[in-house]
Each structure stands twice: as structure tokens, then as C-alpha cells.
């Protein structure tokens, strides 16, 4: 039994072609992570800790609308995978909301809140106003 089998998944899907799950890209979400598994012979695994997710966006092109799929873009503070795109997944609106709720829940559990950075950190004069 693999480690992934011991993790309870809240959601899973495959990337789809023409609305059918015939690709070798699998996505899943546990209580605290999102997983991406790509490949057939050589498999690449990626995961993002949900508390590191900073922004969630969704894109549904005309072609995706026709086949009932869409893509979700997760931007995170993760060093190895700062951007993860869940491509051509079924029910993208519902999945986006589910991910959003889970991200907020895990941040509350870990007592993590990130403040919005309003100033450009590369601007040296931005700190002068506080002196």
C-alpha cells in the first residue's frame, strides 16, 4: 500500500481531452494538499500545501465550455511549484469553490493569515514614510 493510498482524498479528477478523461494527468486534493501526477512511463509528482495557496483563478475557453470543462490556476508561495494549473477538469466552478473553502479552513486551523503587500518591496523609498 502506497503512502498516497493512506491519505483521504476530498476530490480527484483527470485532465480531459474533448471532455473525456483519457489523459495521464491526475489531480487530487486531501485535507491539506493538492496533488498532481503526470505521465505514463515516467511519472512526475507535484504537490502544494493548501496553506501556501495565495490566489485561485479560473479560465473557461469556448472550447472548454462546449465540453463542460475548465482550468483552475493556483498561485502559491511554494518554491518548487509556485503555479499549478489544473487543466481541463470537470465542474471547474464547483472545484474552485471547494479548493477556496479548504484553503481558508486550513489557514484558520494553522492560524495563518497573510497580509496583503500594498507597497512594492523593491521600492526603497516606500519605508521612508514610516520613519
Amino acid at each position: 500500500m502506497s503512502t498516497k493510498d493512506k491519505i483521504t482524498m476530498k476530490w480527484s479528477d483527470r485532465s480531459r481531452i474533448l471532455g473525456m478523461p483519457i489523459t495521464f494527468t491526475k489531480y487530487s486534493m486531501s485535507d491539506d494538499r493538492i496533488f498532481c501526477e503526470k505521465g505514463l512511463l515516467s511519472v512526475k509528482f507535484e504537490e502544494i500545501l493548501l496553506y501556501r495557496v495565495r490566489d485561485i483563478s479560473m479560465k473557461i475557453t469556448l472550447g472548454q465550455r462546449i465540453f463542460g470543462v475548465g482550468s483552475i490556476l493556483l498561485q502559491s508561495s511554494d518554491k518548487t511549484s509556485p503555479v499549478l494549473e489544473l487543466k481541463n477538469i470537470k465542474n471547474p466552478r464547483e472545484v474552485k469553490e471547494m479548493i477556496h473553502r479548504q484553503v481558508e479552513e486550513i489557514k484558520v486551523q494553522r492560524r495563518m493569515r497573510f497580509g496583503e503587500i500594498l507597497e512594492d518591496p523593491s521600492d526603497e523609498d516606500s519605508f521612508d514614510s514610516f520613519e
Side-chain angles (χ1 to χ4, degrees), residues 72-85:
I72 297 174
L73 187 69
L74 303 171
Q75 295 185 5
S76 73
S77 59
D78 190 88
K79 299 287 185 206
T80 58
S81 300
V83 176
L84 178 63
E85 185 174 9

Side-chain angles (χ1 to χ4, degrees), residues 20-78:
M20 298 181 303
I22 55 175
T23 66
F24 297 103
T25 301
K26 300 176 189 174
Y27 306 112
S28 55
M29 182 177 70
S30 70
D31 286 336
D32 62 346
R33 292 176 281 179
I34 290 190
F35 302 92
C36 176
E37 182 180 329
K38 296 179 182 179
L40 173 63
L41 300 177
S42 174
V43 182
K44 178 181 177 186
F45 296 94
E46 294 179 58
E47 69 179 60
I48 292 181
L49 296 168
L50 288 177
Y51 74 85
R52 292 182 180 253
V53 173
R54 292 189 175 254
D55 189 47
I56 306 169
S57 58
M58 180 177 59
K59 175 179 72 172
I60 303 175
T61 64
L62 177 60
Q64 288 174 319
R65 284 178 59 196
I66 290 169
F67 293 105
V69 297
S71 297
I72 297 174
L73 187 69
L74 303 171
Q75 295 185 5
S76 73
S77 59
D78 190 88

Side-chain angles (χ1 to χ4, degrees), residues 94-126:
E94 291 84 2
V95 173
K96 179 183 175 284
E97 287 306 310
M98 180 185 354
I99 292 171
H100 172 73
R101 284 192 304 271
Q102 195 62 31
V103 165
E104 291 301 314
E105 184 179 313
I106 198 71
K107 285 182 178 181
V108 167
Q109 285 177 2
R110 292 180 179 243
R111 296 187 172 130
M112 300 188 76
R113 281 285 161 221
F114 297 102
E116 295 287 332
I117 299 174
L118 300 176
E119 301 286 336
D120 182 5
S122 64
D123 184 11
E124 294 175 12
D125 296 330
S126 65

